[in-house]
Amino acid sequence: MSDIKTIIFDLGGVLIDWNPEYVFLKAFNGDHKKMQWFFDNICTMDWNENQDAGYPLTMATEDLVKKFPEYENYIRMYYGDWENMLGGAIDGTVAILKKLIDNPNYKVVALTNWSAETFPIAQKRFDFLNWFEGIVVSGEEKTRKPYIDIFEITLRRFNIIAETSIFIDDNLRNIEAAHQLGINGIYFTSPEALISELKKFNINI
């Protein structure tokens, strides 16, 4: 476990706190039940992930407005107020990232499910996004995790050998997809747990 050369970070939920509840809990006057129904039935995660794979935000919005006209104001709020879904950096993970970046033994890149239209907003807000050797953004590639092709794109682009890399993500299905290519995985739950998991690969923070 001492031959790790590359560390691949997910962004949302690992380094950046993104949550649509920051916008919609207020929109639904604090009613968690109504908000959850809206996420389960109208602006679903599957719908959002389609934009992460490159579908235009305007078209996605209009599609839903036609389908659910009675929820038009809420639907338009999803991308209209998207910036306020960014809660800030996950500081503990950013500190880990900095130590890995500063270590010449590792190549550090990112692989994120993110709309190409909204990613520039995050780039302006979070300076640490400039630390990576490179970032694969799903919306720019027209595919997304957990599809195997986006992992293959990442390996090719940065000349990564799967078996000597670790992929860190807060979504277990993405870790499982990476495993299919021989990429080692760490399921992210907290910065503290990440430090412990990295130690298993003889990476001490």
Side-chain angles (χ1 to χ4, degrees), residues 8-191:
I8 307 166
F9 276 86
D10 175 36
L11 297 180
V14 174
L15 284 156
I16 297 170
D17 176 20
W18 176 85
N19 195 329
E21 291 189 11
Y22 293 141
V23 167
F24 284 95
L25 192 57
K26 185 187 295 184
F28 284 103
N29 299 312
D31 191 324
H32 282 269
K33 192 172 180 179
K34 284 185 178 179
M35 178 187 69
Q36 194 56 54
W37 184 92
F38 180 77
F39 291 151
D40 289 343
N41 295 278
I42 312 294
C43 288
T44 66
M45 287 309 297
D46 284 346
W47 172 77
N48 179 63
E49 285 190 330
N50 197 39
Q51 285 68 266
D52 286 347
Y55 195 67
L57 305 188
T58 300
M59 291 176 65
T61 300
E62 296 307 322
D63 290 346
L64 277 195
V65 168
K66 288 177 184 176
K67 195 173 180 181
F68 304 104
E70 66 273 30
Y71 290 97
E72 178 174 0
N73 290 340
Y74 293 113
I75 292 167
R76 294 195 185 284
M77 194 180 297
Y78 198 95
Y79 291 116
D81 205 15
W82 182 90
E83 189 167 356
N84 288 320
M85 297 180 189
L86 290 172
I90 300 173
D91 293 331
T93 319
V94 175
I96 295 168
L97 171 66
K98 182 66 166 65
K99 290 181 179 179
L100 292 170
I101 291 284
D102 289 343
N103 190 325
N105 294 321
Y106 305 114
K107 178 188 297 185
V108 186
V109 302
L111 167 58
T112 184
N113 277 2
W114 209 302
S115 164
E117 295 176 64
T118 58
F119 191 64
I121 297 171
Q123 285 181 304
K124 287 179 183 177
R125 183 178 296 192
F126 302 109
D127 288 341
F128 62 81
L129 293 178
N130 297 310
W131 299 352
F132 292 100
E133 181 165 323
I135 302 175
V136 174
V137 179
S138 63
E140 296 174 359
E141 307 301 331
K142 309 299 184 188
T143 184
R144 62 172 175 81
K145 298 174 288 184
Y147 300 128
I148 294 298
D149 55 350
I150 199 163
F151 293 98
E152 292 174 333
I153 288 167
T154 305
L155 295 177
R156 282 198 309 271
R157 184 162 300 165
F158 302 112
N159 297 312
I160 299 167
I161 298 170
E163 292 75 14
T164 63
S165 68
I166 302 173
F167 174 55
I168 303 163
D169 198 294
D170 66 324
N171 192 319
L172 195 54
R173 66 168 193 184
N174 297 336
I175 296 292
E176 291 168 348
H179 283 162
Q180 294 180 44
L181 289 173
I183 301 169
N184 298 285
I186 293 177
Y187 174 50
F188 180 86
T189 56
S190 71

